[in-house]
Amino acid sequence: LKQAIDWRKKCLEIRQNGNNQGEIALELSEISYIEMAMGLINKALITLSIAKNIAYQFRKLEDLRTEFSLKAYYEFLLGNSNKAYQNFETSLFYEQKRIADTKTLYSRDGNNLAEFLIRINELEQFKIINKNNIKDCSQYLWTDKLGICYLFEGWFEILRKRYTLAEEVLIQAEEIFLPSGMLQEIARLDWIWGLYYEAKGDYQKGLQHVNDALLVCADKGFRLWHADNLVLRGRLYLMQFEKEESKDLNLIEKAGDDADNALKIAEDTGYIWAKVDALDLFAAYHQMRVKQGVGEKSKEKELAQRYAKESAEIRKGLYLTKAQIEEAKRQAKEEFEKMTADWPEED
């Protein structure tokens, strides 16, 4: 990732020294995306804010669509679901000003929105967005984005316990990503395969996928996805302990270590979804210690309850009510109309 950001900065320097200053916004947006992947989410927001101001100055609708979508995605990762929903809506308004009959966000913007919707459990909206994006990505041969559509479709089917369908779409994602060498996408695909095998109770295959993902994440610096995979591995260790006759207590402690490491990454980066999942894993870890008579029972029970309570309190703020969604839409429309009031109508 460091090499990627260095090359993007060289491209930015060329743009800055050239005649077309309006193209600077695009380079800054891409730099922000790499910063996000490195776990520098707040820095990514600052970089993106500069890009957004430049795009607004030059009235570049396509760039503004992308920048509001990325801002929404970064806010989502930080746990600001209201802001995320509002910015995704604003992104769509800019695209509709560019192409009037646009119904939903698509390509990477659609991928980002789909991930947000599945995380906040807006599954009916997810179905519409992802279905439309599969159609668009297939039509325009955006193969990498199509693979991500399949990846999220697999996650969706896992949540619905439709494992045959989940396996089918994950294989489709695999057929796109494995030959491509797209390591970030492969690591995320391995995580979702891990979720699949966790749901089916197969900790061995789950651990194979998660450990593969962790090797890639550690090597390439994908800190957010590293945290996700640590949490999942911890859950799989606890599953392994419960299923195996040997009852190796070391598996419980390995789960606790993964919870600790994931929580450290989550708190360092601000990645709220890994934080709540790590807190839940810590609660399960201490509950297992109580069950196995490890440690001081009253202290272990207290810690389990504390971590579970903290996670539940954070999660309350991550999901949106229908009223909050409608208000986010209203605010997005109001902001968009205010920002573009003096702009001429597009042809």
Side-chain angles (χ1 to χ4, degrees):
L1 287 178
K2 187 180 182 305
Q3 284 183 323
I5 208 165
D6 285 345
W7 280 110
R8 274 292 174 186
K9 286 180 177 178
K10 287 179 181 178
C11 292
L12 175 62
E13 187 178 344
I14 292 169
R15 300 276 194 195
Q16 288 171 328
N17 293 331
N19 294 324
N20 194 346
Q21 295 295 297
E23 298 301 321
I24 293 172
L26 172 64
E27 296 299 340
L28 287 169
S29 294
E30 294 305 316
I31 288 170
S32 82
Y33 196 74
I34 300 168
E35 289 170 339
M36 176 277 296
M38 295 170 73
L40 304 172
I41 307 172
N42 285 300
K43 186 175 181 182
L45 277 169
I46 293 169
T47 303
L48 190 65
S49 178
I50 299 168
K52 186 156 62 71
N53 289 339
I54 293 170
Y56 183 76
Q57 178 186 347
F58 288 92
R59 297 184 177 180
K60 295 180 74 67
L61 291 171
E62 190 170 4
D63 287 354
L64 285 163
R65 178 207 68 209
T66 297
E67 284 138 18
F68 273 97
S69 170
L70 287 177
K71 185 175 191 300
Y73 188 66
Y74 304 161
E75 294 287 3
F76 145 63
L77 295 174
L78 294 171
N80 301 321
S81 297
N82 262 308
K83 288 183 180 177
Y85 202 103
Q86 182 179 334
N87 280 287
F88 276 124
E89 285 291 305
T90 304
S91 174
L92 180 58
F93 283 133
Y94 276 105
E95 182 62 10
Q96 288 171 334
K97 189 170 181 63
R98 193 175 78 95
I99 304 173
D101 62 351
T102 302
K103 296 293 187 288
T104 59
L105 292 175
Y106 53 85
S107 190
R108 183 172 70 180
D109 302 321
N111 290 150
N112 290 342
L113 175 55
E115 183 179 353
F116 169 60
L117 292 171
I118 204 168
R119 276 288 199 183
I120 66 168
N121 206 33
E122 290 293 331
L123 298 184
E124 289 305 311
Q125 288 189 63
F126 166 83
K127 281 166 60 177
I128 295 167
I129 296 298
N130 210 49
K131 181 179 178 180
N132 288 343
N133 206 14
I134 287 173
K135 180 181 175 183
D136 288 338
C137 292
S138 299
Q139 180 179 349
Y140 295 107
L141 302 180
W142 298 326
T143 308
D144 55 335
K145 308 305 185 294
L146 178 62
I148 296 170
C149 291
Y150 290 146
L151 185 152
F152 291 146
E153 191 73 16
W155 187 3
F156 169 70
E157 295 297 354
I158 292 165
L159 293 175
R160 297 207 298 176
K161 304 185 188 306
R162 293 159 53 123
Y163 301 124
T164 301
L165 290 174
E167 184 176 13
E168 286 174 2
V169 290
L170 290 178
I171 288 171
Q172 286 179 288
E174 204 168 67
E175 288 170 350
I176 291 171
F177 290 137
L178 291 188
S180 73
M182 297 172 66
L183 294 178
Q184 181 172 205
E185 288 73 15
I186 291 169
R188 300 206 75 191
L189 176 60
D190 272 321
W191 177 65
I192 292 180
W193 273 121
L195 294 177
Y196 170 81
Y197 286 114
E198 179 190 32
K200 296 195 74 177
D202 189 339
Y203 63 84
Q204 291 179 321
K205 288 184 179 177
L207 285 169
Q208 287 173 9
H209 280 282
V210 169
N211 283 324
D212 285 348
L214 284 168
L215 284 172
V216 172
C217 291
D219 183 51
K220 300 302 178 183
F222 303 136
R223 297 190 72 204
L224 308 184
W225 323 139
H226 194 162
D228 281 336
N229 278 283
L230 284 170
V231 171
L232 179 52
R233 186 172 69 177
R235 296 203 304 261
L236 290 166
Y237 281 146
L238 293 181
M239 180 185 289
Q240 181 178 0
F241 176 82
E242 290 192 295
K243 284 179 172 283
E244 286 187 345
E245 292 182 4
S246 62
K247 297 303 178 190
D248 180 2
L249 292 174
N250 187 49
L251 290 169
I252 300 176
E253 297 312 309
K254 286 166 77 173
D257 289 342
D258 278 347
D260 185 50
N261 289 327
L263 189 58
K264 285 175 181 174
I265 294 172
E267 291 182 335
D268 185 48
T269 60
Y271 183 29
I272 198 68
W273 298 94
K275 179 173 181 175
V276 292
D277 287 343
L279 290 170
D280 284 340
L281 176 57
F282 258 134
Y285 160 74
H286 287 291
Q287 287 166 359
M288 188 66 77
R289 283 170 63 87
V290 170
K291 190 176 176 181
Q292 298 303 315
V294 179
E296 186 181 329
K297 185 174 181 180
S298 61
K299 184 179 179 181
E300 295 296 327
K301 285 181 73 173
E302 180 188 347
L303 286 168
Q305 290 168 359
R306 190 185 86 193
Y307 285 122
K309 182 180 178 182
E310 185 179 354
S311 171
E313 287 176 350
I314 295 171
R315 283 189 190 277
K316 281 182 195 173
L318 298 178
Y319 303 107
L320 300 176
T321 65
K322 290 188 183 302
Q324 287 174 316
I325 287 173
E326 290 307 311
E327 177 60 16
K329 289 180 178 179
R330 187 196 66 77
Q331 290 180 359
K333 188 170 188 293
E334 184 178 283
E335 180 188 4
F336 171 76
E337 289 175 348
K338 180 180 177 182
M339 294 295 289
T340 61
D342 62 342
W343 286 23
E345 289 297 320
E346 295 295 304
D347 294 332

